[in-house]
Amino acid sequence: MSQLATIPELQKRIALYEDMKAYKDLYQLLYDGLHRFSFSIVRSREVAEEIVSDVFIKVWQIRGRLPEIDNLKVYLYTITRNFSINYIQRNYKNAAISIEEMDIEPVIQVGNPEDQCISAEVTGRIRQAIMQLPPQCRIIFQLVKEDGMKYKEVAEILNISVFTVRNQLAIAIRKLGESLPLYVQSHIPAINRFSAS
Amino acid sequence: MNEDRFWLLVSLKLSGEAKPEEMAELGTLLQQYPELGLRAEVLNTIFQPRSKSQSTDKDISFNRHLQRLSNHFSEPVLQYENAEQSELIEQPRIRPFIRKKLLWITGFAASILIVWFVAIYVPGKNNQPKTSAQNTVSTKRGSKSKIQLPDGTQVWLNADSKITYNENFQGALREVQLTGEAFFDVVRDESRPFVIHANAIDVRVLGTAFNVRSYENEKKTETSLIHGSVEITLRNSPDNKYILKPNEKLIVQNDNLQLLAEKDATKKSEPKKPILTLAKINYQEKDTSALETLWVKNKLAFDGETFEEIALKIERWYDVKVNINDDRIRKVEFSGIFEDENLQQVMEALQITGKFKYNIYKREVTIGR
């Protein structure tokens, strides 16, 4: 993702100049991803928006120390995870303590309605398969697919090993793949052809 | 064939984590099992990047965030509004969305909008090229700000203040216009003096740290020098220059400008001369900071100031209105330093010394006997 290159720069501008334009740019760059991630845990758009806002309040509070943070994107996803889990624990009795036990609401785009490549039947099957994935597997799949995260980043955010991320993602892909009919009626344009070349 | 291995390779490829040898291995498998390739192809299609949400949605959400941010930082100030809810202090920091009564945009959010606003308009009385763009940074009551000018000079802007400067900040002089109060830490550049145009005075410096206090609704303009040296000229008599030494402050009485000129009937043609006072900066015993600059560290300090003067400071600091219904209290002097204390705590402390009664209702403080 090309946007990643600018995060360190925004980080620096916020720290050195308290640059509000940079602060806004950072918010806009990361809002969708952080909101999606939080929503998957708290299952409310409004609460997720407040959590992202709290995360950015924190960014403002620690603005002077921002350059010390190596990967700000991962750092902010981690805070978002913590705030979201805290919210669940505060507001629900007997709430789960870890993501593995939580009911993760996936926010995963499975083809656009205008996308003619894949039939509704196929997207339906995939959605169903996603819902049948274990919660942790679901959120790993989401972070890799929707947020373009590297395994190492996902591992750091969820506080699990890279090995676990790699295995869980392979499980997700396998389950999704196997949910598909063996001989899919394919209208996939050549450009999108899957190949290992 | 080991299907686990196949799907692992597919997942590595889709997530961009596959090594060249893994790609090669996948290629071989795909040739052997074309029917698996079709499934993988479908997954590849759904793995394409998602469509981005509208940026206008994010604008709206960012503005909501700014409101929450400004509310967050003024929360101590607002505590008195929720005094009856003090038992709720332990409540989760994330409040239900609906309970958000806090929709007023405070100075913080507002000042941000102003920072972005680059005006082409140049105030007429300043002799700057009229074509150059001006940057204006301002703070509302109840908020402060810190900015860095293009030359690296740091400026702390107190509440209800405004600073304007040339966008490119080039030319023979580094010039800024100030209303309100600001602390300057000027980067030394002897070839380009730094000039501050305040209400009644112009302050000319090379490289130094000092505080200028020039509120339109106050009776005096103060310049306090921490280190370095500054040269002050009065707007009304540019020929007289005053050089400040470190730890000195120059106080210019704005409201006597008129008075003085009227008395000075013999020299009617002369420009009006304000009354000047040269004073020492006040240092705290245990602290190396001058009282005049404590506001930079978010400390509210009064140094033998009359309640009238203090009321103005409180109005700006907490963004409230202070009504003094007891005239006896107006001229009573107070000294004190408040750090991280809310309006109620400050009023409580003043009340004990000043023996007055006060009442806080919404954003109004009423002082009575």
Side-chain angles (χ1 to χ4, degrees):
Chain A
M1 282 197 185
S2 59
Q3 34 174 256
L4 262 175
T6 69
I7 289 178
E9 194 209 322
L10 295 175
Q11 223 169 317
K12 207 168 160 191
R13 274 165 57 195
I14 296 167
L16 291 179
Y17 313 116
E18 310 204 332
D19 182 336
M20 288 310 294
K21 180 71 178 67
Y23 183 64
K24 185 180 180 181
D25 287 352
L26 185 71
Y27 181 92
Q28 300 208 327
L29 264 180
L30 294 175
Y31 178 80
D32 282 345
L34 294 176
H35 185 267
R36 181 166 53 235
F37 183 43
S38 179
F39 175 81
S40 291
I41 301 171
V42 301
R43 301 166 146 255
S44 149
R45 297 201 173 282
E46 289 77 15
V47 173
E49 181 171 334
E50 289 221 333
I51 286 171
V52 176
S53 174
D54 283 342
V55 169
F56 275 87
I57 286 173
K58 173 100 176 165
V59 169
W60 190 251
Q61 283 172 327
I62 61 162
R63 60 191 178 279
R65 302 199 305 274
L66 285 181
E68 297 164 23
I69 298 166
D70 281 340
N71 189 335
L72 186 63
K73 185 172 167 180
V74 165
Y75 182 79
L76 297 184
Y77 271 79
T78 309
I79 305 178
T80 303
R81 183 201 73 159
N82 292 343
F83 283 4
S84 304
I85 293 177
N86 289 349
Y87 172 84
I88 294 292
Q89 287 170 352
R90 251 192 255 107
N91 288 272
Y92 298 94
K93 284 191 173 166
N94 309 319
I97 308 158
S98 72
I99 283 194
E100 286 154 85
E101 301 157 26
M102 277 179 181
D103 201 0
I104 295 293
E105 175 87 34
V107 189
I108 296 167
Q109 198 172 346
V110 188
N112 293 315
E114 65 269 23
D115 193 346
Q116 299 299 308
C117 301
I118 301 173
S119 69
E121 196 221 328
V122 167
T123 57
R125 278 169 182 251
I126 291 174
R127 283 210 180 85
Q128 222 177 353
I130 291 171
M131 289 311 291
Q132 281 162 5
L133 296 174
Q136 197 191 46
C137 194
R138 239 183 258 173
I139 197 74
I140 290 170
F141 179 69
Q142 180 176 320
L143 286 171
V144 173
K145 177 186 177 304
E146 299 299 318
D147 300 86
M149 292 276 182
K150 294 276 140 207
Y151 289 0
K152 192 170 165 290
E153 295 175 323
V154 176
E156 221 174 301
I157 292 164
L158 298 177
N159 196 19
I160 53 180
S161 71
V162 175
F163 188 71
T164 306
V165 175
R166 179 182 153 111
N167 281 346
Q168 292 290 313
L169 194 77
I171 291 171
I173 293 295
R174 180 176 184 167
K175 298 263 191 222
L176 262 54
E178 287 175 349
S179 76
L180 298 170
L182 246 189
Y183 298 97
V184 194
Q185 191 66 36
S186 176
H187 311 282
I188 297 166
I191 289 169
N192 290 344
R193 287 273 158 148
F194 184 80
S195 74
S197 54
Chain B
M1 166 195 144
N2 182 348
E3 287 205 16
D4 275 342
R5 183 68 189 163
F6 174 76
W7 291 114
L8 174 68
L9 292 170
V10 171
S11 70
L12 287 170
K13 181 191 182 280
L14 289 178
S15 51
E17 299 266 358
K19 297 190 188 83
E21 60 269 28
E22 289 163 337
M23 292 293 273
E25 190 186 343
L26 179 61
T28 318
L29 288 176
L30 280 170
Q31 280 177 348
Q32 287 171 347
Y33 306 94
E35 74 281 6
L36 287 176
L38 275 176
R39 282 174 160 180
E41 222 166 275
V42 173
L43 290 182
N44 185 47
T45 309
I46 68 148
F47 234 87
Q48 296 308 309
R50 64 164 29 234
S51 48
K52 292 264 170 1
S53 77
Q54 294 290 314
S55 63
T56 46
D57 294 349
K58 279 188 255 179
D59 275 343
I60 295 165
S61 121
F62 184 70
N63 286 338
R64 276 199 294 265
H65 165 64
L66 283 186
Q67 284 159 13
R68 290 184 82 249
L69 183 71
S70 59
N71 292 336
H72 180 86
F73 284 107
S74 56
E75 244 166 20
V77 182
L78 284 174
Q79 266 173 17
Y80 61 85
E81 282 188 350
N82 324 326
E84 74 282 359
Q85 296 173 5
S86 54
E87 73 274 13
L88 291 179
I89 277 169
E90 287 304 311
Q91 72 181 340
R93 211 164 59 77
I94 299 147
R95 290 161 293 272
F97 212 55
I98 305 300
R99 237 173 43 72
K100 215 163 85 170
K101 63 186 181 308
L102 314 154
L103 271 174
W104 49 279
I105 304 177
T106 58
F108 193 86
S111 69
I112 287 154
L113 299 175
I114 297 163
V115 175
W116 288 332
F117 172 69
V118 178
I120 302 299
Y121 167 79
V122 181
K125 61 178 173 181
N126 303 309
N127 32 355
Q128 290 187 343
K130 293 215 188 296
T131 47
S132 62
Q134 296 269 298
N135 277 342
T136 298
V137 182
S138 67
T139 50
K140 290 237 171 157
R141 289 171 171 223
S143 83
K144 297 185 225 21
S145 185
K146 180 187 156 196
I147 52 170
Q148 176 154 325
L149 299 179
D151 68 331
T153 291
Q154 310 243 50
V155 184
W156 284 260
L157 207 54
N158 206 345
D160 197 15
S161 302
K162 187 173 90 176
I163 186 166
T164 307
Y165 60 95
N166 238 340
E167 193 185 13
N168 54 20
F169 216 58
Q170 278 155 5
L173 292 177
R174 296 174 283 170
E175 285 180 292
V176 301
Q177 283 80 44
L178 171 73
T179 8
E181 181 165 22
F183 180 81
F184 295 86
D185 197 348
V186 176
V187 168
R188 197 170 182 87
D189 182 354
E190 299 193 18
S191 63
R192 293 170 63 228
F194 192 99
V195 179
I196 294 145
H197 304 284
N199 194 15
I201 56 170
D202 290 336
V203 184
R204 190 185 169 96
V205 301
L206 295 174
T208 172
F210 60 99
N211 193 67
V212 178
R213 181 177 175 84
S214 172
Y215 282 107
E216 278 168 343
N217 61 350
E218 286 189 351
K219 290 173 183 163
K220 58 196 183 189
T221 303
E222 275 188 24
T223 310
S224 308
L225 182 63
I226 306 301
H227 59 75
S229 86
V230 298
E231 180 189 276
I232 298 161
T233 47
L234 307 181
R235 186 65 48 73
N236 291 331
S237 57
D239 296 337
N240 295 335
K241 292 177 173 18
Y242 303 87
I243 311 269
L244 280 190
K245 291 202 261 315
N247 301 328
E248 282 181 347
K249 71 171 166 183
L250 186 74
I251 304 162
V252 181
Q253 300 290 343
N254 303 336
D255 61 341
N256 285 330
L257 294 174
Q258 197 87 34
L259 192 73
L260 195 77
E262 281 166 11
K263 274 185 192 168
D264 209 358
T266 51
K267 299 178 188 172
K268 246 179 189 164
S269 57
E270 289 261 307
K272 297 161 183 172
K273 281 184 185 173
I275 289 176
L276 301 173
T277 321
L278 189 64
K280 280 277 167 204
I281 287 179
N282 295 293
Y283 280 92
Q284 274 181 274
E285 282 176 18
K286 290 173 190 168
D287 201 325
T288 49
S289 306
L291 275 172
E292 284 77 3
T293 62
L294 281 178
W295 66 267
V296 174
K297 294 177 176 170
N298 208 27
K299 294 177 188 176
L300 177 60
F302 310 129
D303 172 34
E305 287 164 74
T306 65
F307 193 79
E308 237 171 9
E309 292 170 317
I310 287 171
L312 282 176
K313 274 193 176 176
I314 288 177
E315 285 187 341
R316 282 193 290 264
W317 196 271
Y318 291 110
D319 185 23
V320 291
K321 176 91 189 72
V322 179
N323 304 312
I324 307 174
N325 290 340
D326 180 1
D327 283 334
R328 179 187 59 104
I329 199 80
R330 285 182 187 274
K331 299 293 173 199
V332 177
E333 291 182 357
F334 295 86
S335 295
I337 295 163
F338 297 92
E339 190 175 357
D340 299 331
E341 272 164 298
N342 67 22
L343 177 63
Q344 191 151 15
Q345 290 166 319
V346 171
M347 293 312 300
E348 201 65 41
L350 291 174
Q351 173 199 37
I352 292 166
T353 340
K355 299 186 177 61
F356 60 84
K357 287 203 166 62
Y358 73 93
N359 180 42
I360 302 172
Y361 178 70
K362 293 203 170 155
R363 310 211 67 82
E364 278 196 39
V365 184
T366 309
I367 310 295
R369 209 181 271 265

